[in-house]
Amino acid sequence: MSEAEQKDTPEQAEFRAYVRKWLKENRPAKPGFRLPQSPLEVMTEEQRQYLCAWQRKCYDAGLVGVDIPKAYGGGGATDKRQRIVNQELGHADVPFFINVIGLGMAAPTILVHGTEEQKRRYVPGILSSDEIWCQGFSEPGAGSDLANSQTFAERKGDMWVINGHKVWTSLAHFASWMILLCRTSRDDKYKGLSYFIVPIKGAKGVTVRPLIKITGETGFNEVLFENLEVPDTLRLDQVGNGWNVAMTTLLYERGAAESAGGAERSLTSVVDRLVSLGKRVKRDGRPAIEDETLRDRIVQFAIKGEAIKQTFRRARVPALTAHPMRIPLQGKLIGSEFSQLASALALEIEGPAANYYMGDPKAPDGAAWPLAYMNSYGITIAAGTSEVQRNILGERVLGLPKSK
């Protein structure tokens, strides 16, 4: 029995048994096409349909939004059952949930800052995956300075007219809605920002253009707004409070909540995958795992993975969360770099075979690791680069002098 299971209440233990049994009996058949490694790399319509159907099936079984009130489409649980689902999803090694931005960022932000009408209208579609969401924060000219956003929303009566340019917009090519940070005043850098939820799919005044990544695939987009008109009812929170709303989104993006399919899920399997790879790949005629140096590297890596798990668990202890950003920032920083280091270690294990890419029958694991290594750089940049995370931790959490 795992440590998590030992701490389950009788009710949680019963729920865990249900989740485990359901996942065993409902594992989807492997599709006849390549599934991407993460929700942010979904490119084709057949991939979208397959993953949306899986999330919808899990939602109908009560495995998505378990801790969200029933009035907003959730399960209404009050004893952290989503955590149990996430742990069992990791053990079951089933497909991921595609609506990652909706589940991890949009829904939590709407639940904190939205009106009752907004919560009832938008959260259920996020949980079921009926409506895919994307995030409109980054801009081509703003660099890492989110507060420098220049996409402008001009008020005209009960409407807002939006013009601007967002970039690195994952899932925009499938999205129905976007959470969007706009400038509504040029008089104040921070208080001149407001936050909207805006339609994307088929909306007049919205153009979505795919960006080609180093992997040769798409997944990111740029989104251009040209006189997009939205009603004031789509504004989230007060005019001029967009910066604070955006901080809520980033807090959740960096791991403040246990949205469906959370970060612990990937940590659960990555070490096992490295060990499996080491057993199958040959080095000097022997399984690579028999190389003492490599074995030590994997063990050190496993220890680091366990330390990250413990960091995530600390986030559940109220006495350790006096500063709301401390553990989420740490989790985002070390978690994203852990994924990158895992991929790099896998390439070392593979040796020269790591040069084979997708489509080459000689590529170990279908070239999953080289692909993961290249994609990992996007993860260390998203939600603020590792350098930005370290600056924030130093200045706002540790109280160190501001960098120049």
Side-chain angles (χ1 to χ4, degrees), residues 310-317 320-321 326-327 330:
Q310 297 306 323
T311 293
F312 285 130
R313 289 171 185 166
R314 289 167 58 211
R316 302 166 194 158
V317 181
L320 300 176
T321 55
R326 177 184 296 146
I327 294 179
Q330 286 183 50

Side-chain angles (χ1 to χ4, degrees), residues 116-148:
E116 185 67 17
E117 182 179 359
Q118 288 170 336
K119 295 174 188 176
R120 291 176 182 270
R121 163 62 184 86
Y122 298 109
V123 175
I126 292 172
L127 302 179
S128 66
S129 79
D130 287 346
E131 294 179 331
I132 302 294
W133 284 64
C134 62
Q135 178 193 36
F137 276 20
S138 298
E139 296 189 0
S144 296
D145 186 2
L146 179 62
N148 194 33

Side-chain angles (χ1 to χ4, degrees), residues 3 30 105 136 175-176 190 291 329 345 349 351 366 371 375 381 401:
E3 180 185 352
K30 289 188 176 181
M105 293 172 247
S176 300
Y190 293 95
D291 182 297
L329 283 169
L345 179 55
I349 295 172
L371 187 66
N375 278 325
I381 293 171

Side-chain angles (χ1 to χ4, degrees), residues 373-392:
Y373 181 68
M374 288 187 279
N375 278 325
S376 70
Y377 285 87
I379 305 302
T380 56
I381 293 171
T385 65
S386 293
E387 290 77 12
V388 168
Q389 308 300 320
R390 288 188 170 89
N391 274 340
I392 297 174

Side-chain angles (χ1 to χ4, degrees), residues 212-370:
I212 308 299
K213 300 184 294 183
I214 190 174
T215 63
E217 302 176 297
T218 58
F220 293 144
N221 304 271
E222 58 179 346
V223 182
L224 294 94
F225 298 99
E226 187 175 1
N227 296 320
L228 170 67
E229 296 186 11
V230 298
D232 188 51
T233 53
L234 293 185
R235 173 171 46 79
L236 205 59
D237 211 300
Q238 301 299 311
V239 175
N241 199 37
W243 179 252
N244 290 327
V245 183
M247 290 302 100
T248 297
T249 303
L250 288 176
L251 199 60
Y252 283 102
E253 184 176 2
R254 290 163 177 161
E258 296 191 66
S259 58
E264 278 194 41
R265 178 179 178 179
S266 59
L267 291 173
T268 302
S269 61
V270 67
V271 175
D272 291 341
R273 291 175 59 206
L274 288 173
V275 172
S276 172
L277 181 67
K279 290 179 179 177
R280 289 179 283 115
V281 171
K282 301 292 185 182
R283 178 173 292 185
D284 297 328
R286 298 185 303 159
I289 197 74
E290 294 182 10
D291 182 297
E292 291 81 0
T293 302
L294 186 58
R295 288 169 66 92
D296 182 66
R297 294 277 308 280
I298 294 176
V299 169
Q300 293 299 322
F301 194 79
I303 293 171
K304 183 175 290 187
E306 187 59 33
I308 296 174
K309 283 186 185 178
Q310 297 306 323
T311 293
F312 285 130
R313 289 171 185 166
R314 289 167 58 211
R316 302 166 194 158
V317 181
L320 300 176
T321 55
H323 193 297
M325 300 178 71
R326 177 184 296 146
I327 294 179
L329 283 169
Q330 286 183 50
K332 194 277 174 185
L333 174 63
I334 59 179
S336 61
E337 293 189 345
F338 179 84
S339 297
Q340 193 167 81
L341 292 172
S343 304
L345 179 55
L347 299 188
E348 281 191 52
I349 295 172
E350 292 183 352
N355 289 305
Y356 296 121
Y357 198 48
M358 289 189 298
D360 195 316
K362 299 177 183 176
D365 289 347
W369 290 109

